[in-house]
Amino acid sequence: MTARIGVVTFPGSLDDRDTQRAIKLAGAEPVALWHKDKDLKQVDAVVLPGGFSYGDYLRAGAISRFSPVMETVIEQAKSGMPVLGICNGFQILTEAHLLPGGMLGNDHLHFICRDQKLRVENAETSWTADYTAGQEIHIPLKNMDGRYVADERTLDMLEAEGRVAFRYLDFNPNGSLRDIAGITNEAGNVVGLMPHPEHAVEPLIGTGRTDGLPFFTSILKKLVNA
């Protein structure tokens, strides 16, 4: 049976097609989901892709969090369905309180687009199992509101529970506290990160490496072996 992974399109999503392609390259079946539909079409996992949903009005991800599809995504995520939020998707996950903390504008107040070095901190989630803890990877990064923030108690909790999934190396591109690039929920089925792994799945595009492909092979193996 082929694993089916849904990719939600919101008004302003930019990287939904790229994410679908990455899923297909990994060997799973991408399924397009529309933000106004509550039906997830019996998918096994969901990706909230990058972009500027609703133009980032109000606050990045704040309006999309109330899209009809999110009612089902939140319900299914709490029941164990794997959910990945990339960039704007990460922002939506924090707005939906599936992940703690929030995202603010970059500390330098400029949009940034660069190849970013990361360290894998947690290789035990549904989306990171094909990495090894401590592995250093290069993933494209592009954001305006990418500064991860949380109160000290939450940050200490994330550190203590091993829920920092990725950390920026060499250069903090947006002022994220404790160099956090991505986090996971306690169960490990929900992961959010600012960099774009879907842009690093083929050697001819993005970084010229395939460091992002393990996100999609990780979830495929998780679903096939479930």
Side-chain angles (χ1 to χ4, degrees):
M1 182 184 71
T2 303
R4 290 162 49 83
I5 302 177
V7 180
V8 179
T9 298
F10 299 93
S13 294
L14 300 179
D15 301 305
D16 43 349
R17 297 294 182 89
D18 303 70
T19 303
Q20 291 176 29
R21 178 173 176 79
I23 289 167
K24 189 172 182 179
L25 285 171
E29 177 187 351
V31 178
L33 301 175
W34 182 236
H35 75 111
K36 285 191 175 181
D37 297 332
K38 290 185 178 182
D39 182 10
L40 297 185
K41 301 181 181 179
Q42 297 182 312
V43 297
D44 303 298
V46 169
V47 180
L48 306 181
F52 300 91
S53 62
Y54 290 94
D56 282 350
Y57 293 123
L58 273 187
R59 188 173 57 249
I63 301 177
S64 291
R65 176 262 178 272
F66 293 102
S67 289
V69 73
M70 287 304 298
E71 181 179 329
T72 313
V73 169
I74 292 169
E75 176 185 319
Q76 293 298 311
K78 290 180 178 179
S79 297
M81 174 181 278
V83 177
L84 174 66
I86 302 170
C87 194
N88 187 234
F90 184 14
Q91 295 161 343
I92 294 170
L93 288 177
T94 62
E95 291 289 338
H97 304 297
L98 286 174
L99 292 175
M103 313 301 299
L104 296 178
N106 298 341
D107 60 351
H108 45 72
L109 303 181
H110 294 287
F111 179 84
I112 189 167
C113 182
R114 56 174 277 128
D115 291 341
Q116 179 65 47
K117 189 176 182 181
L118 306 175
R119 181 172 62 239
V120 180
E121 301 284 23
N122 185 332
E124 298 179 3
T125 78
S126 298
W127 299 92
T128 60
D130 267 1
Y131 293 108
T132 57
Q135 182 177 350
E136 297 181 3
I137 60 177
H138 291 78
I139 303 288
L141 174 77
K142 51 178 185 176
N143 63 71
M144 181 68 191
D145 298 293
R147 177 162 54 111
Y148 180 75
V149 296
D151 58 55
E152 286 297 311
R153 182 176 180 180
T154 299
L155 292 170
D156 289 342
M157 177 268 292
L158 291 173
E159 300 277 12
E161 296 181 2
R163 290 172 53 187
V164 175
F166 298 90
R167 215 180 296 267
Y168 297 116
L169 286 184
D170 296 344
F171 171 72
N172 186 323
N174 45 37
S176 288
L177 298 180
R178 304 196 189 182
D179 300 325
I180 291 174
I183 60 175
T184 179
N185 68 341
E186 187 175 4
N189 64 303
V190 179
V191 171
L193 78 160
M194 286 310 297
H196 288 260
E198 77 280 11
H199 294 329
V201 295
E202 297 178 282
L204 293 180
I205 61 172
T207 60
R209 301 156 63 116
T210 58
D211 291 2
L213 192 59
F215 274 89
F216 307 101
T217 57
S218 292
I219 189 58
L220 179 58
K221 290 179 181 177
K222 166 74 174 179
L223 295 172
V224 169
N225 294 328

